[in-house]
Amino acid sequence: MFKAILKRTASGICLGLLAAAVAIPAHAASQSAYLTAPNDPLAVTVKAAGDGRADDTAAIQAAIDQAANKGAGGVVFLPSGRYRITKSLLIRLAVRVYGTGPTRPVLVLAANTPGFQKGVGTMVVFTGGDQYEVGKVPVPVPSAVPFSEKNRDANSATFYSALSNVDFEIGDGNPAAAGVRFRTAQHTYLSHIDFHLGSGFAGVYQAGNECDDLHFYGGRYGIVTEKTSPAWQFTLLDSTFEGQRDAAIREHEAGLTLANVSIKKVPVGIEIDRGYGDSLWGWDVRFESVSKAAVIVSNENNAFTQVGFDNATARDTPVFALFRDSGKTVKAPAKTYRVKAFTYGLKLDSPTAMGHFDTTFDAAAVSALPAQTAVLKSLPPVADWANIHDLGAKGDGTTDDTAAVQKAIDTHKVVYFPIGLYRVTDTIKLRPDSVLIALHPSLTQLELPDNTPAFAGVGDAKAIVESASGGNATISGIGLFAGMINPRATALIWKAGEQSLVYDVRIHGGHGTNLATGGGRSDPYARTADGDPALFWDRQRPSIWVRDGGGGTFANVWTPNTFAQAGFYVSDTATPGHVYELSAEHHIRNEIVLDGVKNWEFLAPQTEEEVRESQDTVSLDVRNSSNILFANYHGYRVTRNIKPAISAVRLTNSGDIRFRNVHINAESGFATCDDNGCGTYLRASKYPFENAIVDDNRKVQVREREFAVLDVPAGAIAPVPAASPGVEKVATGFYSIAGAAVDAAGKLYFIDRRFQRIQAYAEGEGLTTVSDAPVDPINLAVDGSGNLLVLSSFGPEASVYSLKPGSAGAALQVLKPQAATAHAGAKTLLPVNIWNNGEFRDQLNPDTYEFTTLSEMFMRDMGAAKAREYVSPDGSLVLPAFRVWQQGPTTHLGWRFSDTLDTYGFQARKPGDRVYIVSGAEDTTYAGTVGEGGAVKDINPFANRGGESVTTDAAGNVYVANGQVFVYAPDGTETARIDVPDRPLQLIFGGKDGRTLYILTHHSLYAVKR
């Protein structure tokens, strides 16, 4: 009765609007997941007509606003009924809306409701807070009805919001209508929703985080989405699509992860948009009566295109995969068939190999379609929930509730926790069949006070909550906070069996934690009377520790507690484990650890490394383990990092590890306002993980950071390639070098940024120091008079100055920006790499319903001349003044981002010259012609490898740094590869004859004659 999704207890609602009963007949009422409203004195209940005729918009919005609680959020109950709405409902930050009653409440959009006829209009919009404290909304929600400059979209700090057990119905004459705009971040969800879309555009437009038990009927599409607001993966579980006019799902860059999903009676199952790729992974996906193609793959020869299915089934689906660009098809082997495995994308034949594009299709006929298996088990009926308040617990944040909570669990199978802070001082132990339920994991916490005696000192790990060994226990919708100073504490020790479930659980501590006493979110960097909380970082046991034969399903779990040893730790078990949409972030050493583990799979695991606490963190540490799958894995370091890190994944004594769809990056974006107006800034980092994987035993580095397929075997692997002949390490011991330039004699200048040191290298001279003035040099150029032109991040708009190398303490000549004009004979400085993927702004054209592609964005942005410029003292060099954005303090301590600050280096070209630029967002190298004002014209793709940088030799050959150095002839034909012991970052030719290729890596400088 409660679909697999219900297992989370406080599941989130997907608010959609039903067509008004006055205009169209009501669909059969759906079975409610919450037959009665749970008893929670802090929840808000909607007071509205609910007859399908009266306009209930204002009444529902008033309840949501009442629950908003200044950003802390709350719970709203929407009783059974049909609620006609006439404009967008705005679900505020951290508000969860649950339908309650014998039938699911329905949101109805009556026929021809004004505002839903053109573009996209969404019945429900999830909103966010002022993430960057910029005041004015930089990018108002374009799909809100009516449009308002004040409507702030959900963003990468929109946590905890949800919509659950509410259906949608769209009446005739609303072709632009969509049910929900859900562009959210961690610990948000939609669940238990039927979308009857009729004439509408889609059920969900712009998706986020996790959704389950969604069912889409009719409409042009079921789901249309771009990337989520934080660019994490989007996971859809236990859901169905039927009868969409164009496609069940249309998407790109969403990290789309599917499990137990059925699609039928549609032309296309999943369509990846023109010009885009995605990390698409599906397990147990069924296609029935799909006339054109189960999946349409776009942007074929691009590393960001990663498509895979495991155990898919199909009937009356003659084409499984259609490749948009080439027209190639992968055809069905029979009328009814099973796809054991399908993969497309960059494949690594071994951990020591670079990738090549490859397709795998392992399919065979079957006599009948097998039954599908739900991912999430159902929660018990609300009538079976024993309310912890009735059993003696207070939840007031002061009373010690340990004894009351333990007694409730001992005497009741199902225990419900209303909103509250439940202080405990000893381990709460579950029965084998225990079910713990709450509806808001931020506002409902089991909380351990600092310096609790039972958790102090040196000793074995001690849990806040510990499951019994074996059994099928469930914990859903609750938060666990182990405090800051409890060295033996772990939030959850899980020893339950394969049928157990941990869903919608939040581990508190660190970023995103709402303070127990109110007053906003905690600042893990703040100083207190006790000193610096950093003293307590990494001083607790793992937040979630699955051990001693434990297993089960873990879905929509967020574990970012900086005070813990790791976010998610699995050890000593062969019991199968299934993990969906796990977010593990901000730990000092490890995010996810497996030690002595077999038979586990991780679908859509995401990690994030912050600039202060996670500079040395390994995202995924696998030890002594085998038979493990990682699919749609995303290992991210924030753009603010300034320290190199060798690898996202570390393998030790492990094999039979399968990686599918790996995405390792450090780029991001933010929407903000400054004196020049509001907009979206896209920023790149020079410090992603250098490698995807390091195997300690085999001394192997996997350099590819975007790939679709790699199997790490248990046995021998191919040997590590030796460095290419002639590659010589000429200097080493640096922190991280980049920003290089050469003078007329071929002398190399570069920057070791950590030490603010400009250095020089020449054959016969070795290394010399040019300057170490504390003005944060970033990138260099050399003008016609031999002066260094230096771009620095110092100042609100950054700074540019020149100095004469060769004299100690040389004076700095600060250059001011001036209006751009023509400079006869001068060279223009352009970045060797940029990153732009349209973060935050909807790229859908409301007139054509086509998305602006990444290639079109690149050409648009690089084709625009800059209004201002910096000119070298001798007039021979011009640096266009790319717009600079700041994040953090307005002093020189704040972070600055721009295409010229973010690039690994400059290239100097005259107007009319051919120029090559790497697009990191596409892993593509483009060719174009330099125009006036730094514009690049006649841009076309040149090579399907991008990466860090590009340079050319005198003969016009093109060298691209992308894990190794790839060499292309002027016509784009790949001709050679130069293997380097470390990951190449910047490439530049110099030396006395100009034929020495200098290869800058983080810690060493290499050279090779060409």
Side-chain angles (χ1 to χ4, degrees), residues 206-289:
Q206 303 294 14
N209 202 46
E210 187 267 348
C211 295
D212 56 83
D213 196 27
L214 307 187
H215 305 278
F216 301 88
Y217 302 96
R220 185 171 178 179
Y221 303 97
I223 295 175
V224 177
T225 190
E226 304 173 71
K227 67 177 68 63
T228 66
S229 60
W232 308 150
Q233 308 91 318
F234 163 50
T235 297
L236 179 66
L237 308 174
D238 299 332
S239 297
T240 64
F241 300 80
E242 182 175 351
Q244 283 70 53
R245 296 187 295 277
D246 286 8
I249 301 174
R250 178 184 175 189
E251 60 92 18
H252 63 260
E253 293 192 326
L256 180 60
T257 307
L258 308 172
N260 186 34
V261 171
S262 175
I263 297 171
K264 65 180 179 181
K265 297 180 181 178
V266 295
V268 176
I270 304 163
E271 178 183 356
I272 301 176
D273 287 300
R274 172 187 66 90
Y276 281 97
D278 189 32
S279 298
L280 166 61
W281 181 259
W283 173 82
D284 199 14
V285 179
R286 174 164 296 176
F287 301 94
E288 293 186 73
S289 300

Side-chain angles (χ1 to χ4, degrees), residues 69 117-118 203 259 286 328 605 739 751 825-826 900 994:
N69 194 20
Q117 285 69 50
K118 184 178 180 181
R286 174 164 296 176
K328 180 179 65 175
I751 296 165
T900 44

Side-chain angles (χ1 to χ4, degrees), residues 230-233 605-607 619 632-636 661 663-665:
W232 308 150
Q233 308 91 318
Q606 167 265 318
T607 65
S619 165
N632 273 8
Y633 161 61
H634 188 173
Y636 173 69
N661 299 359
H663 177 46
I664 307 295
N665 78 315

Side-chain angles (χ1 to χ4, degrees), residues 135-432:
K136 185 178 179 181
V137 177
V139 184
V141 180
S143 63
V145 178
F147 175 80
S148 170
E149 295 285 347
K150 297 180 180 180
N151 285 336
R152 189 181 298 275
D153 202 3
N155 54 45
S156 55
T158 299
F159 310 134
Y160 311 120
S161 308
L163 176 65
S164 181
N165 199 46
V166 177
D167 287 349
F168 288 76
E169 193 172 306
I170 296 175
D172 292 337
N174 297 301
V180 184
R181 182 184 180 96
F182 187 63
R183 206 170 195 178
T184 55
Q186 288 98 324
H187 243 156
T188 60
Y189 64 86
L190 303 175
S191 69
H192 311 309
I193 302 171
D194 288 358
F195 294 90
H196 295 280
L197 301 174
S199 65
F201 175 65
V204 175
Y205 173 60
Q206 303 294 14
N209 202 46
E210 187 267 348
C211 295
D212 56 83
D213 196 27
L214 307 187
H215 305 278
F216 301 88
Y217 302 96
R220 185 171 178 179
Y221 303 97
I223 295 175
V224 177
T225 190
E226 304 173 71
K227 67 177 68 63
T228 66
S229 60
W232 308 150
Q233 308 91 318
F234 163 50
T235 297
L236 179 66
L237 308 174
D238 299 332
S239 297
T240 64
F241 300 80
E242 182 175 351
Q244 283 70 53
R245 296 187 295 277
D246 286 8
I249 301 174
R250 178 184 175 189
E251 60 92 18
H252 63 260
E253 293 192 326
L256 180 60
T257 307
L258 308 172
N260 186 34
V261 171
S262 175
I263 297 171
K264 65 180 179 181
K265 297 180 181 178
V266 295
V268 176
I270 304 163
E271 178 183 356
I272 301 176
D273 287 300
R274 172 187 66 90
Y276 281 97
D278 189 32
S279 298
L280 166 61
W281 181 259
W283 173 82
D284 199 14
V285 179
R286 174 164 296 176
F287 301 94
E288 293 186 73
S289 300
V290 180
S291 58
K292 185 175 180 180
V295 59
I296 295 180
V297 179
S298 301
N299 212 19
E300 295 169 36
N301 295 320
N302 187 276
F304 287 96
T305 298
Q306 305 165 6
V307 180
F309 289 90
D310 186 0
N311 190 40
T313 54
R315 179 167 57 203
D316 296 325
T317 303
V319 175
F320 187 78
L322 168 64
F323 292 81
R324 183 193 301 271
D325 302 332
S326 66
K328 180 179 65 175
T329 60
V330 175
K331 295 183 177 180
K335 176 182 175 66
T336 305
Y337 57 100
R338 173 178 178 261
V339 181
K340 181 179 179 182
F342 172 86
T343 60
Y344 175 76
L346 206 65
K347 179 182 180 182
L348 280 61
D349 292 328
S350 81
T352 60
M354 299 300 288
H356 63 94
F357 288 96
D358 185 71
T359 303
T360 297
F361 185 56
D362 183 356
V366 294
S367 58
L369 295 176
Q372 291 181 281
T373 303
V375 173
L376 301 177
K377 66 181 179 180
S378 301
L379 291 177
V382 175
D384 294 345
W385 298 5
N387 193 310
I388 196 73
H389 286 185
D390 298 335
L391 301 174
K394 301 298 184 183
D396 58 13
T398 302
T399 304
D400 187 343
D401 286 325
T402 309
V405 171
Q406 187 62 64
K407 184 176 179 181
I409 291 170
D410 292 343
T411 56
H412 295 80
K413 175 182 175 181
V414 185
V415 179
Y416 164 61
F417 292 77
I419 291 172
L421 300 175
Y422 298 87
R423 177 164 288 208
V424 296
T425 54
D426 206 347
T427 299
I428 302 300
K429 296 190 176 181
L430 305 184
R431 299 163 26 166

Side-chain angles (χ1 to χ4, degrees), residues 450 482-491 536-543 561 563-566 589:
D450 281 341
M484 294 190 297
I485 313 171
N486 290 298
R488 293 179 57 193
T490 185
F536 307 119
W537 288 350
D538 196 24
R539 290 296 186 269
Q540 293 178 358
R541 295 305 187 98
S543 288
N561 181 13
F563 302 103
Q565 171 186 346
R589 289 178 287 147

